Amino acid sequence: MQTITTTNTTTYSLPLTGAVTPPSLAALAQQPLQPSGILDQATYPRQRLTPAIGIQFESGLQFKELLDMEDKVKQAALFKDLAHEISLHGVGFFPAQDLEADDLARIALLLGEAAGKPTDSVLHIHPTQELGENGLPVGQITNVADKDGRQISFADERSTFASAGWHTDISFEPRPANYSLLRMHTLPSTGGDTLFSSAYAHYDALSPAMQSFLSTLTATHHAEMFREQSRRHGFKLRTDPRGSPHNVGDVFRTSHPVIRTNPTTGLQGLFVNQCFTSRIDQLNWDESDALLKYLFTLQAQTHDAQVRYRWGINDLAIWDNRSTNHSATFDYSALRKGDRAVCCGEQPYYDHNGLSRKAYMDQQVRD
Ligand SMILES: [Fe+2]
């Protein structure tokens, strides 16, 4: 049960382009989760991969055992603490997970529920995706397009810079993702690493004046490239609800706050990405272009806000899209395949009571 706070009284002008979505509505703000401590280090050992982002558990933590747990109270407590741990560190890595594709769907929903998602937010169905064998929206991530040319990647859109692919999942939807899960079962002998970056760290890299200015703005996110892919390859796009009654149609365009508060942690992050964010709504085109270029450069070049993961067979990564970006590495030709599930979350909002992650972590050390 999430407590609603009504302390945010900031007002905003409406965006000039795209859907009208005020960046901050007091009723949207949630109280961050308070971990119970059940996910203790001795029972569930893990290590931070960098100060900014990434936590790696040992293979003793098997999600299959958590899913099969008969004590549902304990299961819910574990998922709550896992949601907090993943959201605090941006991405969690869980090596050698013995899971079926459909298990990913259950884990995604349990994590989403633990993090307080709206009840009408469920698993996302990608606009270009076919349902899995059991009718569940667990997508295949692969470097080989299917017979209809469907492929969940930006492979035919990318520039020659590997860093051109930084994005957060489905930010073009009005109810974008909270958690994405990816379990790789087929890998090249080398290559295909995934990079993740911390939106908390990007926010913390900004001056207080820039943080304050950006917190008054919204940005348009769109994915018109899917309509082009559909025209080119002749497949039909999904226009019925994609994991939320708000995610419908073939416009694939919405506006979100530029600074987003993560409801699970209460921490502030920079919420733009170069794949989907096209315009700062309240600025003129040149101002928007210059500012977005700076923010995308900050995201691509701040390598102390990044972690690079080399996959092992059956490794599972779970990341919080509200406070991270990620980028694939297309440096291989052998088959690379995995299963992906994405849970839709809440309407993004900015809460001026949110904290900087750096300040929060410094506080934890002092305490
Ligand atoms: Fe992605």
Side-chain angles (χ1 to χ4, degrees), residues 141 152-154 165 167-170 180 182 194 276 319 321 325-328 340 342:
I141 289 286
I152 303 174
S153 83
F154 304 99
H167 68 283
T168 194
D169 287 337
I170 63 165
S180 287
L182 179 59
T194 304
F276 298 129
W319 60 93
N321 288 284
N325 287 282
H326 56 279
S327 183
R340 180 183 96 141
V342 176

Side-chain angles (χ1 to χ4, degrees), residues 55-350:
I55 190 141
Q56 179 153 12
F57 285 74
E58 294 186 2
S59 57
L61 191 161
Q62 286 291 316
F63 271 97
K64 194 73 168 175
E65 291 171 15
L66 301 191
L67 290 176
D68 292 343
M69 200 170 261
E70 287 184 14
D71 184 343
K72 297 303 175 193
V73 175
K74 185 177 178 187
Q75 183 192 56
L78 280 166
F79 270 91
K80 237 176 203 179
D81 278 21
L82 273 168
H84 188 271
E85 191 76 348
I86 292 164
S87 294
L88 181 61
H89 298 290
V91 55
F93 301 104
F94 304 89
Q97 294 292 308
D98 178 19
L99 294 169
E100 303 298 320
D102 293 354
D103 292 331
L104 294 192
R106 294 173 63 200
I107 298 167
L109 285 172
L110 282 166
L111 275 175
E113 285 163 13
K117 72 171 182 59
T119 51
D120 61 1
S121 280
V122 291
L123 295 179
H124 187 254
I125 306 173
H126 198 271
T128 66
Q129 183 184 341
E130 285 193 287
L131 293 175
E133 286 175 9
N134 295 347
L136 284 171
V138 177
Q140 286 265 332
I141 289 286
T142 172
N143 54 324
V144 179
D146 75 4
K147 60 180 173 32
D148 296 324
R150 292 186 179 87
Q151 188 180 17
I152 303 174
S153 83
F154 304 99
D156 57 351
E157 310 288 343
R158 70 182 192 270
S159 80
T160 53
F161 292 122
S163 59
W166 282 106
H167 68 283
T168 194
D169 287 337
I170 63 165
S171 69
F172 53 87
E173 300 280 27
R175 298 290 182 276
N178 46 35
Y179 300 103
S180 287
L181 288 73
L182 179 59
R183 177 176 170 271
M184 300 304 300
H185 55 73
T186 307
L187 290 168
S189 58
T190 185
D193 297 354
T194 304
L195 281 76
F196 297 85
S197 65
S198 169
Y200 301 138
H202 297 146
Y203 173 82
D204 287 342
L206 300 166
S207 64
M210 182 62 90
Q211 290 173 347
S212 178
F213 173 53
L214 293 181
S215 72
T216 65
L217 304 175
T218 58
T220 295
H221 297 237
H222 78 78
E224 289 164 356
M225 76 282 268
F226 296 140
R227 288 206 300 277
E228 172 56 26
Q229 285 176 9
S230 146
R231 269 196 299 272
R232 196 185 315 151
H233 298 292
F235 61 77
K236 204 169 173 303
L237 292 168
R238 293 194 166 275
T239 56
D240 49 346
R242 297 179 293 269
S244 163
H246 302 276
N247 299 343
V248 291
D250 66 352
V251 174
F252 309 124
R253 174 185 285 266
T254 193
S255 282
H256 295 306
V258 172
I259 304 299
R260 181 177 186 182
T261 309
N262 187 307
T264 305
T265 59
L267 304 179
Q268 312 288 37
L270 175 65
F271 194 65
V272 295
N273 70 85
Q274 60 190 354
C275 283
F276 298 129
T277 311
S278 58
R279 174 79 189 267
I280 306 268
D281 298 318
Q282 292 80 7
L283 304 183
N284 70 36
W285 191 90
D286 297 303
E287 292 167 341
S288 167
D289 192 47
L291 185 51
L292 284 177
K293 267 187 188 145
Y294 163 68
L295 296 175
F296 296 157
T297 302
L298 175 75
Q299 291 173 327
Q301 295 192 4
T302 309
H303 83 255
D304 51 353
Q306 299 172 3
V307 65
R308 176 172 180 147
Y309 191 66
R310 183 177 185 187
W311 295 89
I313 297 287
N314 295 333
D315 287 359
L316 171 68
I318 306 177
W319 60 93
D320 186 336
N321 288 284
R322 302 169 296 187
S323 306
T324 58
N325 287 282
H326 56 279
S327 183
T329 309
F330 297 99
D331 58 351
Y332 58 94
S333 54
L335 186 62
R336 179 180 182 274
K337 240 175 157 179
D339 299 314
R340 180 183 96 141
V342 176
C343 188
C344 291
E346 70 288 338
Q347 179 180 346
Y349 64 85
Y350 168 72

Side-chain angles (χ1 to χ4, degrees), residues 34-57:
Q34 297 300 324
S36 68
I38 193 171
L39 198 71
D40 65 286
Q41 177 73 27
T43 315
Y44 301 99
R46 68 269 197 187
Q47 58 171 338
R48 288 168 65 186
L49 296 182
T50 77
I53 183 168
I55 190 141
Q56 179 153 12
F57 285 74

